[in-house]
Amino acid sequence: MKNLITIAILLLSPMIFAQPEANYDESKVPKFPLPDPLTTFSGNPIANKTQWEENRRFEIFQFFERQVYGKVPDRLDEYSFKLWEESDDAYGGKARRKQVAISLTKNKRTITYNLLIYLPKGNPKAPVFLGYNFYGNHTVTDDPKVPITKAWVSNNESFGITDHKATEATRGVRKHRWAIEKMLDNGYGLATIHYGEVDPDKNDFSDGLHQLFYKDGQVKPKTNEWGSIAAWAFGLSKAMDYLENDTNISDVIVFGHSRLGKAALWAGATDKRFAGVISNNSGCGGAALSKRKFGETVARINNSFPHWFAGSFKKYGNNERTLPVDQHQLLALVAPRPLYVASAAEDRWADPKGEFLSAYHASKVYALYGKQGIDSPEMPAIDQPLQNTVAYHIRSGKHDVTDYDWEQYITWAKTFVK
């Protein structure tokens, strides 16, 4: 009987036994050859930016598109924008507020999501940071003119969120992550979207952006088609379609934290209109090198969040050594546009060293354009930023976005994003 129970457990709960403890010991990081961004899959060297753009960049991009994040299956039938609210009296009169509904239509099905914009009134054409928020536009500010999202949100006991519905009690609960007044005071604006309005963050492809593209009888994307990260990146690009035509906005820097940092990186790789890209604590599947298998791994992330990546990425779980690419090559796809990678000292799950090394190894592609990246493989001290076209810092503290982070991003943007 005991043997039968053991067999049943093995059959019903295989993941219990497939997941070893997370590795936080550098001595246990496997030895691995890191794929060279400047050597093609067939072994040919890349000597200049023309060869990079015409050959190597294309094949790296194609691999990430088909095997990691997944391909967008088709084009939209139509999309539209509606400026449904604006005011000149936000933040005590120092900011202009705009709220824009973005509608995407395919196969006679439509989703609509809301873009909240704050712009400094003293700057007639301001650069903006564009990024997703986790719980609704109303959570990044105390502004009563921003409506409570009606979309799916993650339950959060500390915020009083149950049944996946936001309430008035959640207004402003995440404003500490968005240094809006600091941005405004430095001549920058903010554009933000609740990511759940684009694609709810759950292992269910029946709603959100994906279902617009389904053929009859289809219930989820095909194996090499987009997961949620690629869908969120697509939503950012559609927001860019509006932002680039707003006469009060100049450059757009795409930003993301954690899973949304992964989306920001893929958006920056897929859409060259973004003037700069910021990854904040993006970890596995974002800036961190997968082959290090430190903290979160490919197997863990695909088991915990099976909807994030393409189905084709799952074969690399516990098999990272067979990956012909790694995340430094994702970062290299952003070149020559400015790139900032940031870590937190207590966020070992996201592998700060792996994030740093990724930025370091991507820098050789930036050198093809005469842009300065990270020159040394030695990590900088905590709270000592390295700011070049490729920038990096590791700050004290946990997995979060802080005023310190935004101070560095604003300083860097003023110098390198033009």
Side-chain angles (χ1 to χ4, degrees), residues 277-345:
V277 181
I278 300 172
S279 156
N280 192 92
N281 306 175
S282 64
C284 181
L289 294 174
S290 297
K291 292 178 186 289
R292 278 174 48 79
K293 300 184 73 171
F294 189 100
E296 189 171 32
T297 62
V298 172
R300 282 180 173 271
I301 203 168
N302 276 320
N303 289 330
S304 299
F305 307 101
H307 57 292
W308 282 3
F309 298 90
S312 48
F313 191 46
K314 292 177 173 59
K315 63 179 172 285
Y316 295 104
N318 295 319
N319 198 27
E320 289 90 344
R321 61 185 175 78
T322 65
L323 266 169
V325 300
D326 213 327
Q327 298 305 109
H328 64 302
Q329 291 163 302
L330 170 68
L331 303 189
L333 295 177
V334 177
R337 291 163 295 146
L339 169 70
Y340 204 127
V341 175
S343 307

Side-chain angles (χ1 to χ4, degrees), residues 127-129 186 188 251-253 275-278 338-340 387-389 391 405-418:
V128 300
F129 296 100
N186 282 275
Y188 286 80
D251 293 325
V252 179
I253 303 164
V277 181
I278 300 172
L339 169 70
Y340 204 127
Q387 295 210 358
N388 298 304
T389 301
D405 294 312
W406 282 112
E407 287 164 7
Q408 311 320 309
Y409 301 149
I410 291 168
T411 298
W412 165 78
K414 285 181 176 180
T415 302
F416 297 102
V417 184
K418 300 194 176 180

Side-chain angles (χ1 to χ4, degrees), residues 76 78-80 102-113 197 208-209 211-212:
L76 291 166
E78 60 181 281
Y79 57 91
S80 62
I102 302 174
S103 295
L104 312 181
T105 300
K106 180 72 176 177
N107 296 321
K108 299 181 179 179
R109 295 186 287 268
T110 300
I111 68 163
T112 298
Y113 56 99
E197 293 184 5
L209 184 54
Q211 50 88 25
L212 300 187

Side-chain angles (χ1 to χ4, degrees), residues 74-289:
D74 203 351
R75 295 186 178 185
L76 291 166
D77 291 338
E78 60 181 281
Y79 57 91
S80 62
F81 314 105
K82 180 181 179 181
L83 177 62
W84 57 266
E85 192 271 345
E86 64 179 323
S87 172
D88 282 340
D89 65 356
Y91 282 91
K94 72 167 62 174
R96 175 182 300 168
R97 180 184 61 244
K98 298 184 181 185
Q99 300 190 74
V100 180
I102 302 174
S103 295
L104 312 181
T105 300
K106 180 72 176 177
N107 296 321
K108 299 181 179 179
R109 295 186 287 268
T110 300
I111 68 163
T112 298
Y113 56 99
N114 291 287
L115 177 65
L116 169 65
I117 305 168
Y118 289 111
L119 297 171
K121 284 174 64 176
N123 193 343
K125 194 164 186 177
V128 300
F129 296 100
L130 167 67
Y132 282 117
N133 60 73
F134 282 91
Y135 289 97
N137 292 348
H138 66 283
T139 64
V140 311
T141 175
D142 289 326
D143 189 341
K145 297 297 185 180
V146 180
I148 308 298
T149 184
K150 296 179 181 178
W152 183 97
V153 294
S154 297
N155 286 336
N156 186 316
E157 185 176 345
S158 64
F159 294 165
I161 299 174
T162 59
D163 198 26
H164 301 290
K165 294 179 180 178
T167 67
E168 181 63 37
T170 58
R171 185 176 300 281
V173 294
R174 277 286 171 83
K175 63 183 181 181
H176 71 281
R177 284 190 170 179
W178 302 89
I180 296 175
E181 293 206 58
K182 197 179 297 289
M183 296 177 200
L184 296 170
D185 291 343
N186 282 275
Y188 286 80
L190 171 69
T192 188
I193 302 159
H194 170 41
Y195 80 138
E197 293 184 5
V198 176
D199 190 52
D201 191 5
K202 53 196 171 91
N203 187 27
D204 177 0
F205 291 108
S206 66
D207 50 13
L209 184 54
H210 296 92
Q211 50 88 25
L212 300 187
F213 293 79
Y214 290 162
K215 307 299 183 184
D216 289 344
Q218 187 176 0
V219 295
K220 65 178 182 178
K222 295 177 182 177
T223 301
N224 69 340
E225 288 181 349
W226 53 353
S228 289
I229 289 171
W232 296 325
F234 185 88
L236 291 168
S237 287
K238 293 297 104 183
M240 185 65 186
D241 288 344
Y242 168 80
L243 295 169
E244 71 174 350
N245 290 297
D246 188 315
T247 58
N248 300 126
I249 293 172
S250 56
D251 293 325
V252 179
I253 303 164
V254 65
F255 159 86
H257 168 64
S258 194
R259 66 198 64 182
L260 300 178
K262 309 179 207 301
L265 287 170
W266 186 233
T270 57
D271 192 333
K272 294 182 180 180
R273 294 175 298 172
F274 292 116
V277 181
I278 300 172
S279 156
N280 192 92
N281 306 175
S282 64
C284 181
L289 294 174

Side-chain angles (χ1 to χ4, degrees), residues 34-73:
L34 196 66
D36 185 358
L38 299 183
T39 302
T40 67
F41 291 145
S42 58
N44 297 321
I46 298 298
N48 55 58
K49 62 185 180 182
T50 301
Q51 292 177 352
W52 162 258
E53 290 173 0
E54 294 181 356
N55 299 301
R56 185 61 167 148
R57 188 188 189 280
F58 175 75
E59 67 176 10
I60 291 173
F61 178 85
Q62 195 170 58
F63 185 90
F64 276 105
E65 183 182 46
R66 294 178 177 177
Q67 299 296 321
V68 181
Y69 302 105
K71 248 180 109 62
V72 178

